[in-house]
Amino acid sequence: MIRRARALAAAAAVLVPVAALAATTLPAASPSAAPSAQAEPAMTVARGPLIIGHRGASGYRPEHTEGSYELAVRMGADFIEPDLVATKDGQLVVRHENEIGGTTDVASHPEFASRRTTKTVDGTKITDWFTEDFTLAEIKTLRAVERLPDIRQHNTLYNGRYQVLTLQEVIDLAKRFTREYHRKIGIVPETKHPTYFRSIGLPLENTVAATIRRNGFDKGGRTVVQSFEPSSLRILHKALPHVTVLQCMSASGSPYDTVATGQGPTFAEMAEPAGLKTVRTYADWIGPEKAMVVPPKADGSLGTPGPLVRDAHQAGLKVVPYTFRNENKYLPTDLRNGTPLGDYGQSFKEYDAYFKAGIDGMFTDNSDTAFRARQDFLGERS
């Protein structure tokens, strides 16, 4: 363990001096009539837009792994993000989706070959292996692999080196990182496919809330709960009244609970001033797809900010868009360097445009780049 930690420290030091990660205090939010904003204690974090390590430092390590989370924190992340799905025995494990053929080595386990099956999840037919068909003990025999090997070939070096984590283990990591790095590290768990899991008798919300309360992470600004589905967030808001709630938004379509019931808003309706006021009745932040904040031009180049940040702030909501990444594939066309999609582009220019648009934080796969961009924006680096 000591040897691994030293190796990570050496790698991270090349990218961001550890001494630069000292925390300062974010100015307290103004009082609001929102449910959770009144009781939420202030959190000591870095000044400026918050950096959320999207599934850890998934630009450098397979996502949702101990190595990914630790590197994100070393590189300057204020929060780490676990996506949550359920096992057959009702345990919460951390995977991008409930299908795990692309994020674990399950295909190389002959004992699980017969569990590959076809299901319809959120209206989409998928053939794969699914977490809800495995017990936690069985999941623990698997190892994580890189989800985007064509774009992040370097990350495949770490295939097979990490177990699949539980929510409890991510909380334990956040506690350890807080002690070791002398700054408070929070978590931003997301309920994935909550309507689907409810339909198969494995509801996520009560277990999420119980785990957070049991660890004292319902106090002190340590947790932000998030989902694309408002029905899941309303349950979590009632169960965790002092925890910040974040409504995720896609640039198109509707939350699946709207699709499943035939009632509820589209994401576009949520982003309108009236929709934002409704969101504010159960949430404190929004997490829009970043194109909703700075819509691209017709040719895919960087555009100018739209009204979303202004409208959200007027409704009393903070704006934390997703997902910032360094690779050309994920950047506006005019910020790409060359044509290979996996090569790095001019991501600092993208961060600067969003900081100027007034965002309150961001989900990023590259916490070191976000940290440096924030320093530049705040004038904290010579």
CSV table of all heavy atoms in Angstrom, one decimal, residues 68-103:
chain,number,residue,atom,x,y,z
A,68,SER,N,-8.3,5.6,-9.5
A,68,SER,CA,-8.9,6.8,-10.2
A,68,SER,C,-9.3,7.8,-9.2
A,68,SER,O,-9.1,9.0,-9.4
A,68,SER,CB,-10.1,6.3,-11.0
A,68,SER,OG,-10.7,7.4,-11.7
A,69,TYR,N,-10.0,7.4,-8.1
A,69,TYR,CA,-10.4,8.4,-7.1
A,69,TYR,C,-9.3,9.0,-6.4
A,69,TYR,O,-9.3,10.3,-6.2
A,69,TYR,CB,-11.3,7.7,-6.1
A,69,TYR,CG,-12.7,7.3,-6.6
A,69,TYR,CD1,-13.2,6.0,-6.5
A,69,TYR,CD2,-13.5,8.3,-7.3
A,69,TYR,CE1,-14.5,5.7,-7.0
A,69,TYR,CE2,-14.7,8.0,-7.8
A,69,TYR,CZ,-15.2,6.7,-7.6
A,69,TYR,OH,-16.5,6.3,-8.1
A,70,GLU,N,-8.3,8.3,-6.0
A,70,GLU,CA,-7.1,8.9,-5.3
A,70,GLU,C,-6.4,9.8,-6.2
A,70,GLU,O,-6.0,10.9,-5.7
A,70,GLU,CB,-6.2,7.8,-4.8
A,70,GLU,CG,-5.0,8.4,-4.0
A,70,GLU,CD,-4.3,7.4,-3.1
A,70,GLU,OE1,-4.5,6.2,-3.2
A,70,GLU,OE2,-3.6,7.9,-2.2
A,71,LEU,N,-6.2,9.5,-7.5
A,71,LEU,CA,-5.5,10.4,-8.3
A,71,LEU,C,-6.3,11.7,-8.5
A,71,LEU,O,-5.7,12.8,-8.6
A,71,LEU,CB,-5.2,9.7,-9.7
A,71,LEU,CG,-4.2,10.4,-10.6
A,71,LEU,CD1,-2.9,10.7,-9.9
A,71,LEU,CD2,-4.0,9.6,-11.9
A,72,ALA,N,-7.6,11.6,-8.6
A,72,ALA,CA,-8.4,12.8,-8.8
A,72,ALA,C,-8.2,13.8,-7.6
A,72,ALA,O,-8.1,15.0,-7.8
A,72,ALA,CB,-9.9,12.4,-8.9
A,73,VAL,N,-8.2,13.2,-6.4
A,73,VAL,CA,-8.0,14.1,-5.2
A,73,VAL,C,-6.6,14.7,-5.2
A,73,VAL,O,-6.4,15.8,-4.9
A,73,VAL,CB,-8.3,13.2,-3.9
A,73,VAL,CG1,-7.9,14.0,-2.7
A,73,VAL,CG2,-9.7,12.8,-3.9
A,74,ARG,N,-5.6,13.9,-5.5
A,74,ARG,CA,-4.2,14.4,-5.5
A,74,ARG,C,-4.1,15.5,-6.6
A,74,ARG,O,-3.3,16.4,-6.4
A,74,ARG,CB,-3.2,13.3,-5.9
A,74,ARG,CG,-3.0,12.2,-4.8
A,74,ARG,CD,-1.8,11.4,-5.0
A,74,ARG,NE,-0.6,12.3,-4.9
A,74,ARG,CZ,0.0,12.7,-3.7
A,74,ARG,NH1,-0.5,12.3,-2.6
A,74,ARG,NH2,1.0,13.5,-3.7
A,75,MET,N,-4.9,15.4,-7.6
A,75,MET,CA,-4.8,16.4,-8.7
A,75,MET,C,-5.7,17.7,-8.4
A,75,MET,O,-5.7,18.6,-9.2
A,75,MET,CB,-5.2,15.8,-10.0
A,75,MET,CG,-4.2,14.8,-10.5
A,75,MET,SD,-4.7,14.1,-12.1
A,75,MET,CE,-3.2,13.4,-12.7
A,76,GLY,N,-6.4,17.7,-7.3
A,76,GLY,CA,-7.1,18.9,-7.0
A,76,GLY,C,-8.6,18.8,-6.9
A,76,GLY,O,-9.3,19.8,-6.7
A,77,ALA,N,-9.2,17.6,-7.1
A,77,ALA,CA,-10.7,17.5,-7.0
A,77,ALA,C,-11.2,17.8,-5.6
A,77,ALA,O,-10.6,17.4,-4.6
A,77,ALA,CB,-11.1,16.1,-7.4
A,78,ASP,N,-12.3,18.4,-5.5
A,78,ASP,CA,-13.0,18.7,-4.2
A,78,ASP,C,-14.0,17.6,-3.9
A,78,ASP,O,-14.2,17.4,-2.7
A,78,ASP,CB,-13.7,20.1,-4.3
A,78,ASP,CG,-12.8,21.2,-4.8
A,78,ASP,OD1,-11.8,21.4,-4.1
A,78,ASP,OD2,-13.1,21.8,-5.8
A,79,PHE,N,-14.5,17.0,-4.9
A,79,PHE,CA,-15.5,15.9,-4.7
A,79,PHE,C,-15.1,14.8,-5.6
A,79,PHE,O,-14.5,15.0,-6.7
A,79,PHE,CB,-16.9,16.4,-5.1
A,79,PHE,CG,-17.6,17.3,-4.2
A,79,PHE,CD1,-17.4,18.7,-4.3
A,79,PHE,CD2,-18.5,16.9,-3.2
A,79,PHE,CE1,-18.0,19.6,-3.4
A,79,PHE,CE2,-19.1,17.8,-2.4
A,79,PHE,CZ,-18.9,19.1,-2.5
A,80,ILE,N,-15.5,13.6,-5.3
A,80,ILE,CA,-15.4,12.4,-6.2
A,80,ILE,C,-16.8,11.9,-6.4
A,80,ILE,O,-17.7,11.9,-5.6
A,80,ILE,CB,-14.5,11.4,-5.6
A,80,ILE,CG1,-14.8,11.0,-4.2
A,80,ILE,CG2,-13.0,11.8,-5.7
A,80,ILE,CD1,-14.0,9.8,-3.6
A,81,GLU,N,-17.0,11.3,-7.6
A,81,GLU,CA,-18.3,10.9,-8.1
A,81,GLU,C,-18.4,9.4,-8.3
A,81,GLU,O,-17.8,8.9,-9.2
A,81,GLU,CB,-18.7,11.7,-9.4
A,81,GLU,CG,-20.1,11.4,-9.8
A,81,GLU,CD,-20.2,11.3,-11.3
A,81,GLU,OE1,-19.2,11.0,-12.0
A,81,GLU,OE2,-21.4,11.4,-11.8
A,82,PRO,N,-19.3,8.8,-7.5
A,82,PRO,CA,-19.6,7.4,-7.8
A,82,PRO,C,-21.0,7.2,-8.4
A,82,PRO,O,-22.0,7.7,-7.9
A,82,PRO,CB,-19.6,6.7,-6.4
A,82,PRO,CG,-20.0,7.8,-5.5
A,82,PRO,CD,-19.6,9.1,-6.1
A,83,ASP,N,-21.1,6.5,-9.5
A,83,ASP,CA,-22.4,6.1,-10.1
A,83,ASP,C,-22.8,4.8,-9.4
A,83,ASP,O,-22.0,3.9,-9.2
A,83,ASP,CB,-22.3,5.8,-11.6
A,83,ASP,CG,-21.9,7.1,-12.4
A,83,ASP,OD1,-22.3,8.2,-11.9
A,83,ASP,OD2,-21.4,7.0,-13.5
A,84,LEU,N,-24.1,4.7,-9.0
A,84,LEU,CA,-24.6,3.6,-8.2
A,84,LEU,C,-25.6,2.8,-8.9
A,84,LEU,O,-26.6,3.2,-9.4
A,84,LEU,CB,-25.2,4.2,-6.9
A,84,LEU,CG,-24.3,5.1,-6.0
A,84,LEU,CD1,-25.1,5.6,-4.8
A,84,LEU,CD2,-23.0,4.3,-5.6
A,85,VAL,N,-25.3,1.4,-8.8
A,85,VAL,CA,-26.3,0.4,-9.3
A,85,VAL,C,-26.4,-0.7,-8.2
A,85,VAL,O,-25.5,-0.7,-7.3
A,85,VAL,CB,-25.8,-0.2,-10.7
A,85,VAL,CG1,-25.9,0.9,-11.8
A,85,VAL,CG2,-24.4,-0.7,-10.6
A,86,ALA,N,-27.3,-1.5,-8.4
A,86,ALA,CA,-27.6,-2.5,-7.3
A,86,ALA,C,-27.2,-3.9,-7.8
A,86,ALA,O,-27.2,-4.3,-9.0
A,86,ALA,CB,-29.1,-2.5,-7.0
A,87,THR,N,-26.8,-4.7,-6.8
A,87,THR,CA,-26.5,-6.2,-7.0
A,87,THR,C,-27.8,-7.0,-6.7
A,87,THR,O,-28.8,-6.5,-6.2
A,87,THR,CB,-25.4,-6.7,-6.1
A,87,THR,OG1,-25.8,-6.5,-4.7
A,87,THR,CG2,-24.1,-5.9,-6.3
A,88,LYS,N,-27.7,-8.3,-7.0
A,88,LYS,CA,-28.8,-9.2,-6.7
A,88,LYS,C,-29.3,-9.1,-5.3
A,88,LYS,O,-30.5,-9.3,-4.9
A,88,LYS,CB,-28.4,-10.6,-7.1
A,88,LYS,CG,-29.5,-11.6,-7.0
A,88,LYS,CD,-29.0,-13.0,-7.5
A,88,LYS,CE,-30.0,-14.0,-7.5
A,88,LYS,NZ,-29.5,-15.4,-8.0
A,89,ASP,N,-28.3,-9.0,-4.4
A,89,ASP,CA,-28.6,-9.0,-2.9
A,89,ASP,C,-28.7,-7.6,-2.4
A,89,ASP,O,-28.6,-7.3,-1.2
A,89,ASP,CB,-27.5,-9.8,-2.1
A,89,ASP,CG,-26.1,-9.5,-2.5
A,89,ASP,OD1,-25.9,-8.8,-3.5
A,89,ASP,OD2,-25.2,-9.9,-1.8
A,90,GLY,N,-29.0,-6.6,-3.3
A,90,GLY,CA,-29.4,-5.3,-2.8
A,90,GLY,C,-28.3,-4.4,-2.4
A,90,GLY,O,-28.5,-3.4,-1.7
A,91,GLN,N,-27.0,-4.7,-2.7
A,91,GLN,CA,-25.9,-3.9,-2.3
A,91,GLN,C,-25.6,-2.9,-3.4
A,91,GLN,O,-25.8,-3.1,-4.6
A,91,GLN,CB,-24.6,-4.8,-2.1
A,91,GLN,CG,-24.8,-5.8,-1.1
A,91,GLN,CD,-25.1,-5.3,0.3
A,91,GLN,OE1,-24.4,-4.4,0.8
A,91,GLN,NE2,-26.2,-5.7,0.9
A,92,LEU,N,-25.1,-1.7,-3.0
A,92,LEU,CA,-24.8,-0.6,-4.0
A,92,LEU,C,-23.3,-0.7,-4.4
A,92,LEU,O,-22.4,-0.6,-3.6
A,92,LEU,CB,-25.0,0.7,-3.3
A,92,LEU,CG,-26.5,1.0,-3.0
A,92,LEU,CD1,-26.5,2.3,-2.2
A,92,LEU,CD2,-27.4,1.1,-4.2
A,93,VAL,N,-23.2,-1.0,-5.7
A,93,VAL,CA,-21.8,-1.0,-6.3
A,93,VAL,C,-21.6,0.2,-7.3
A,93,VAL,O,-22.6,0.7,-7.8
A,93,VAL,CB,-21.5,-2.3,-7.0
A,93,VAL,CG1,-21.4,-3.4,-5.9
A,93,VAL,CG2,-22.5,-2.7,-8.1
A,94,VAL,N,-20.4,0.5,-7.5
A,94,VAL,CA,-20.1,1.7,-8.3
A,94,VAL,C,-19.6,1.3,-9.7
A,94,VAL,O,-18.5,0.8,-9.9
A,94,VAL,CB,-18.9,2.4,-7.5
A,94,VAL,CG1,-18.6,3.7,-8.3
A,94,VAL,CG2,-19.4,2.8,-6.1
A,95,ARG,N,-20.5,1.5,-10.6
A,95,ARG,CA,-20.3,1.3,-12.1
A,95,ARG,C,-21.0,2.3,-12.9
A,95,ARG,O,-22.1,2.8,-12.4
A,95,ARG,CB,-20.8,-0.1,-12.5
A,95,ARG,CG,-20.0,-1.3,-12.0
A,95,ARG,CD,-18.7,-1.5,-12.6
A,95,ARG,NE,-17.6,-0.7,-11.9
A,95,ARG,CZ,-16.4,-0.5,-12.4
A,95,ARG,NH1,-16.1,-0.9,-13.6
A,95,ARG,NH2,-15.5,0.2,-11.7
A,96,HIS,N,-20.6,2.6,-14.1
A,96,HIS,CA,-21.2,3.6,-14.9
A,96,HIS,C,-22.6,3.2,-15.3
A,96,HIS,O,-23.5,4.0,-15.4
A,96,HIS,CB,-20.4,3.8,-16.2
A,96,HIS,CG,-21.0,4.7,-17.2
A,96,HIS,ND1,-21.4,5.9,-16.9
A,96,HIS,CD2,-21.2,4.5,-18.5
A,96,HIS,CE1,-21.9,6.5,-18.0
A,96,HIS,NE2,-21.8,5.6,-19.0
A,97,GLU,N,-22.8,1.9,-15.5
A,97,GLU,CA,-24.1,1.4,-15.9
A,97,GLU,C,-24.3,0.0,-15.1
A,97,GLU,O,-23.3,-0.5,-14.6
A,97,GLU,CB,-24.3,1.1,-17.4
A,97,GLU,CG,-24.1,2.4,-18.2
A,97,GLU,CD,-25.2,3.4,-18.2
A,97,GLU,OE1,-26.3,3.1,-17.5
A,97,GLU,OE2,-25.1,4.5,-18.7
A,98,ASN,N,-25.5,-0.5,-15.2
A,98,ASN,CA,-25.7,-1.9,-14.6
A,98,ASN,C,-25.2,-3.0,-15.5
A,98,ASN,O,-24.9,-4.1,-15.1
A,98,ASN,CB,-27.1,-2.1,-14.2
A,98,ASN,CG,-28.1,-1.9,-15.4
A,98,ASN,OD1,-27.9,-1.1,-16.3
A,98,ASN,ND2,-29.2,-2.7,-15.4
A,99,GLU,N,-25.0,-2.7,-16.9
A,99,GLU,CA,-24.3,-3.6,-17.7
A,99,GLU,C,-22.8,-3.5,-17.5
A,99,GLU,O,-22.3,-2.3,-17.6
A,99,GLU,CB,-24.7,-3.5,-19.2
A,99,GLU,CG,-24.3,-2.3,-19.9
A,99,GLU,CD,-25.3,-1.2,-19.9
A,99,GLU,OE1,-26.2,-1.2,-19.0
A,99,GLU,OE2,-25.2,-0.3,-20.8
A,100,ILE,N,-22.1,-4.6,-17.3
A,100,ILE,CA,-20.7,-4.5,-16.9
A,100,ILE,C,-19.7,-5.2,-17.9
A,100,ILE,O,-18.5,-5.3,-17.5
A,100,ILE,CB,-20.5,-5.0,-15.5
A,100,ILE,CG1,-21.1,-6.5,-15.4
A,100,ILE,CG2,-21.2,-4.1,-14.5
A,100,ILE,CD1,-20.9,-7.1,-14.0
A,101,GLY,N,-20.2,-5.5,-19.0
A,101,GLY,CA,-19.3,-6.2,-20.0
A,101,GLY,C,-18.2,-5.3,-20.5
A,101,GLY,O,-17.1,-5.8,-20.8
A,102,GLY,N,-18.4,-4.0,-20.5
A,102,GLY,CA,-17.4,-3.1,-21.0
A,102,GLY,C,-16.6,-2.4,-19.9
A,102,GLY,O,-15.6,-1.7,-20.2
A,103,THR,N,-16.9,-2.6,-18.6
A,103,THR,CA,-16.1,-2.0,-17.6
A,103,THR,C,-15.5,-3.0,-16.6
A,103,THR,O,-14.9,-2.5,-15.6
A,103,THR,CB,-17.1,-1.0,-16.8
A,103,THR,OG1,-18.1,-1.7,-16.2
A,103,THR,CG2,-17.6,0.1,-17.7
